[in-house]
Amino acid sequence: MTGSRPAPAMFVNRQQLTLALILAGLGTAAWWWGRPERVEAPPSASAERRPDYVVEGFRATQMDDLGRTQRHLQARILRHFPGDDSTELDAPELTWLVDQAPPWHAQAAAGRVAAEGNEIQLHGNVVLHRAASATTRAIRIETDSLRVEPQNDYAETDDPVRLYSDRDQLTSTGVRLWFGETLRIEFPKRTQAIFHMADEGRP
């Protein structure tokens, strides 16, 4: 990881600095927290899975060496578990900015960041989408789970997926997607598609 680590916000203690190390695997150059509010863990949580801290309204931004925004990560609630050094997210939202194209957005009901910090598992009503532009078509992918490697601009799943692009539709089991400077999508298993030809006189 390059760049300096920012000073902790008002509600961030020494334990919470562990979170910065977890998210460092995302290629972070600079992260900031949007005034998180620390709350006590639920008393019903088991001792094995009791978080050592909980952050509400978590928000972080990754910058490159020139101070330009690269990625965003936010969640309604973040919980860190010291037992396996993992982090769980409620209603996570991820955004990747791509040169010469609209940004990609991913959202889900829940997410989990492993201890190594190099991947995020999204679960429940996962939607990955990109808006249209003058040179690109809109793309929307829906599935039940998605493994994301933000630092590598890569995402994959083995679950059934549904892809929509303008009026075209595609269903498949599994998808591999690289959304860096050059977009590449692979469907490793059987795929069914419905394509609508352009009307006469239209591109």
Side-chain angles (χ1 to χ4, degrees):
M1 182 179 71
T2 60
S4 58
R5 186 167 55 192
M10 181 182 300
F11 298 96
V12 178
N13 60 25
R14 183 175 298 275
Q15 285 184 319
Q16 288 174 302
L17 291 178
T18 311
L19 177 61
L21 298 178
I22 296 173
L23 295 177
L26 303 179
T28 302
W31 291 90
W32 58 270
W33 279 258
R35 300 181 63 83
E37 178 183 356
R38 178 165 178 168
V39 298
E40 295 298 327
S44 60
S46 65
E48 293 78 10
R49 290 295 296 165
R50 179 174 298 164
D52 55 352
Y53 60 84
V54 177
V55 178
E56 290 187 346
F58 173 79
R59 188 178 180 88
T61 297
Q62 175 193 346
M63 317 291 285
D64 64 14
D65 292 337
L66 299 178
R68 298 172 301 191
T69 300
Q70 287 187 316
R71 302 178 185 94
H72 299 284
L73 170 62
Q74 64 184 61
R76 187 173 65 239
I77 298 177
L78 177 150
R79 303 177 186 85
H80 178 259
F81 296 87
D84 56 5
D85 200 23
S86 66
T87 302
E88 294 183 357
L89 308 170
D90 288 359
E93 296 184 20
L94 302 168
T95 302
W96 297 263
L97 275 67
V98 181
D99 291 339
Q100 310 301 320
W104 282 90
H105 303 278
Q107 60 192 64
R112 185 177 186 274
V113 182
E116 295 79 9
N118 56 3
E119 69 177 45
I120 300 176
Q121 295 280 351
L122 301 177
H123 301 283
N125 299 321
V126 180
V127 176
L128 178 65
H129 62 97
R130 182 191 71 182
S133 72
T135 57
T136 61
R137 300 177 66 182
I139 298 177
R140 178 185 175 93
I141 297 175
E142 300 175 355
T143 186
D144 293 328
S145 69
L146 190 70
R147 187 179 72 85
V148 182
E149 298 177 6
Q151 187 176 4
N152 298 323
D153 293 333
Y154 175 77
E156 68 173 14
T157 183
D158 293 324
D159 288 339
V161 299
R162 298 164 297 279
L163 183 148
Y164 305 91
S165 183
D166 293 341
R167 297 171 62 198
D168 299 337
Q169 301 178 30
L170 183 148
T171 59
S172 178
T173 301
V175 68
R176 311 285 182 265
L177 188 145
W178 293 261
F179 43 88
E181 295 182 4
T182 302
L183 175 63
R184 187 171 118 211
I185 303 177
E186 293 182 358
F187 300 96
K189 298 183 179 181
R190 184 176 179 180
T191 301
Q192 295 181 334
I194 301 176
F195 297 105
H196 293 269
M197 304 301 293
D199 296 335
E200 185 176 356
R202 298 181 58 188

